[in-house]
Amino acid sequence: MKSVRLVEFGSSLQWEEKQDPEPKDSEVLLEVISCGVCHSDLHLRDGYYKIGGEEKLFVKDRGVKLPLTPGHEVVGRILKIGSKVSSVSVGETKLVYPWIGCGTCEECESGNPQLCSAPKSLGIYQDGGYSDRILVPDEKWLLDIYDLSPEYACSYACAGLTAYGALKKALPLKKSDSLVIIGAGGLGMFASQLVPLLTEAKVIFLDLDESRLEKLKEIGFYTVPSSHPDPASEVKKISGPLGVSAVIDFVNNSATSSLGFSLLKKNGTLIGVGLFGGELKIPTPILSLRSLTIRGSYTGSPGELKELLRLVSEKKIRPVPVQIRNLREADSALNDLSSGKVLGRLVLSGKSA
Ligand SMILES: [Zn+2]
Ligand SMILES: [Zn+2]
């Protein structure tokens, strides 16, 4: 088993080779075919999130222990199964649902392990897919990818699921409603593919990067550059003067969240998703007088990921562009992601180990 591991926060990842683990009971050992490189892997390597001003939220205080193999967007081929495994077989290609929990709390039992208070997510709290092997603790976390190719399917475990989970919280919307999506990067790109399948409402994208907005405009979305001196009035020219029914904020920093909040019409909902860091100050009487909702959204449930994979396969959604890198280049892939040089998704190939 060859893996790229985080040994010290703030340092480069390190190459490690050891014997393949033996799957026991319900465990399944997969050969990693593709593993997506995600922005949250950068926070993991840094060891913290920014939470406004100079304040930091340290990942070690959230229970992350080193050494750790990152990587939570994994498609692999089953190599070996434990003695109690009955629903999957050696040779099958599966997407790994990574947001697993303790298995016994209220959230886990209601099908929302992503909200477990003792999370055991793969690639964050347990070893993930920056490797040529991954040991999955239970067969139930392995999902069908239908006719999707592994390098495209892997990103649905995080980026795709996060976009889908957030969109579902904005629904239902009527045709006359407006939905604002802040951020046209990775998550925004997934949302732009999914949103026409889920609602007929007007969708308005905001981003600082005008070339991204140009592409969205070409495929029929409304767009407003965030750099506009008064983006709120530009949005209201499209939505109508009362404002919008929902805002999904894939950036979620101080500026975008307060802009998002200011765009809501009565009974509207602001859904914070991004982890760029910041804080939101709200006038509390406005919250009650306008009956507004502010809520967060974190990834999605296994049920939602199953739904999403079926939807993507049935509707023949055009995959977002991917760049494939050698597993040994994991660290430089993270550096490229950090510098904003990457268009589409970066995917590590387990076979290149
Ligand atoms: Zn991710
Ligand atoms: Zn739990």
Side-chain angles (χ1 to χ4, degrees):
M1 175 174 190
K2 297 164 188 164
S3 309
V4 185
R5 308 196 79 200
L6 181 60
V7 178
E8 196 185 339
F9 292 119
S11 298
S12 302
L13 303 177
Q14 294 185 14
W15 188 258
E16 187 192 277
E17 298 190 15
K18 63 175 187 187
Q19 203 150 28
D20 284 359
E22 252 333 287
K24 294 189 293 288
D25 301 334
S26 301
E27 292 175 347
V28 180
L29 180 71
L30 294 99
E31 172 191 19
V32 176
I33 303 172
S34 298
C35 179
V37 179
C38 176
H39 248 108
S40 64
D41 297 338
L42 270 177
H43 296 301
L44 202 58
R45 189 179 65 172
D46 291 343
Y48 61 85
Y49 296 94
K50 287 183 191 157
I51 48 170
E54 286 304 299
E55 278 192 79
K56 291 172 180 174
L57 174 66
F58 289 95
V59 299
K60 68 171 167 33
D61 297 334
R62 300 190 69 224
V64 174
K65 292 192 180 71
L66 301 185
L68 174 84
T69 307
H72 51 269
E73 302 183 353
V74 188
V75 171
R77 192 173 298 111
I78 299 176
L79 272 184
K80 271 188 179 179
I81 55 177
S83 56
K84 292 185 182 159
V85 171
S86 60
S87 64
V88 296
S89 317
V90 170
E92 288 176 345
T93 297
K94 297 284 180 183
L95 175 67
V96 180
Y97 177 84
W99 313 107
I100 65 183
C102 69
T104 55
C105 73
E106 209 179 317
E107 295 294 356
C108 283
E109 287 198 334
S110 68
N112 286 303
Q114 79 280 12
L115 303 178
C116 177
S117 47
K120 297 192 163 28
S121 312
L122 298 173
I124 296 168
Y125 298 103
Q126 304 190 69
D127 287 340
Y130 280 26
S131 180
D132 66 343
R133 302 283 183 268
I134 184 168
L135 185 67
V136 176
D138 196 293
E139 57 184 314
K140 69 181 176 187
W141 308 121
L142 299 175
L143 306 181
D144 239 316
I145 61 167
Y146 306 98
D147 56 348
L148 306 173
S149 65
E151 64 270 29
Y152 295 121
C154 63
S155 303
Y156 285 103
C158 177
L161 180 60
T162 299
Y164 186 61
L167 283 167
K168 284 194 74 174
K169 291 180 180 75
L171 300 177
L173 292 170
K174 298 188 295 291
K175 198 172 178 178
S176 55
D177 290 333
S178 297
L179 165 67
V180 160
I181 297 177
I182 302 178
L187 291 171
M189 211 162 358
F190 279 98
S192 71
Q193 295 182 317
L194 299 171
V195 73
L197 307 175
L198 302 171
T199 177
E200 290 184 282
K202 286 181 202 163
V203 180
I204 309 161
F205 275 91
L206 268 73
D207 198 282
L208 282 170
D209 184 331
E210 299 203 18
S211 65
R212 285 174 174 171
L213 294 182
E214 209 47 55
K215 288 196 188 107
L216 290 165
K217 206 191 251 174
E218 279 167 22
I219 51 174
F221 290 106
Y222 294 96
T223 62
V224 171
S226 318
S227 56
H228 190 281
D230 187 1
S233 65
E234 289 301 297
V235 168
K236 286 176 184 171
K237 280 183 197 164
I238 303 163
S239 67
L242 298 179
V244 307
S245 304
V247 174
I248 295 175
D249 189 353
F250 287 135
V251 181
N252 206 20
N253 64 21
S254 306
T256 60
S257 59
S258 63
L259 171 63
F261 184 81
S262 74
L263 297 174
L264 295 176
K265 71 176 186 184
K266 282 189 179 176
N267 211 23
T269 304
L270 171 65
I271 301 154
V273 184
L275 294 170
F276 281 77
E279 55 193 337
L280 172 61
K281 279 190 185 148
I282 53 160
T284 51
I286 300 286
L287 189 66
S288 49
L289 290 168
R290 299 178 62 78
S291 191
L292 301 173
T293 302
I294 301 172
R295 63 167 308 173
S297 185
Y298 179 69
T299 69
S301 68
E304 285 173 328
L305 184 53
K306 264 185 214 166
E307 254 170 52
L308 174 61
L309 291 165
R310 204 177 307 124
L311 185 73
V312 169
S313 162
E314 276 175 13
K315 302 286 180 185
K316 307 265 174 261
I317 290 184
R318 193 168 33 93
V320 300
V322 295
Q323 290 180 32
I324 297 172
R325 299 279 178 91
N326 192 300
L327 180 61
R328 287 188 185 266
E329 296 166 31
D331 219 55
S332 66
L334 281 173
N335 294 339
D336 290 351
L337 197 62
S338 165
S339 65
K341 275 193 252 172
V342 183
L343 261 181
R345 302 294 291 179
L346 277 176
V347 171
L348 300 173
S349 164
K351 281 192 178 163
S352 60

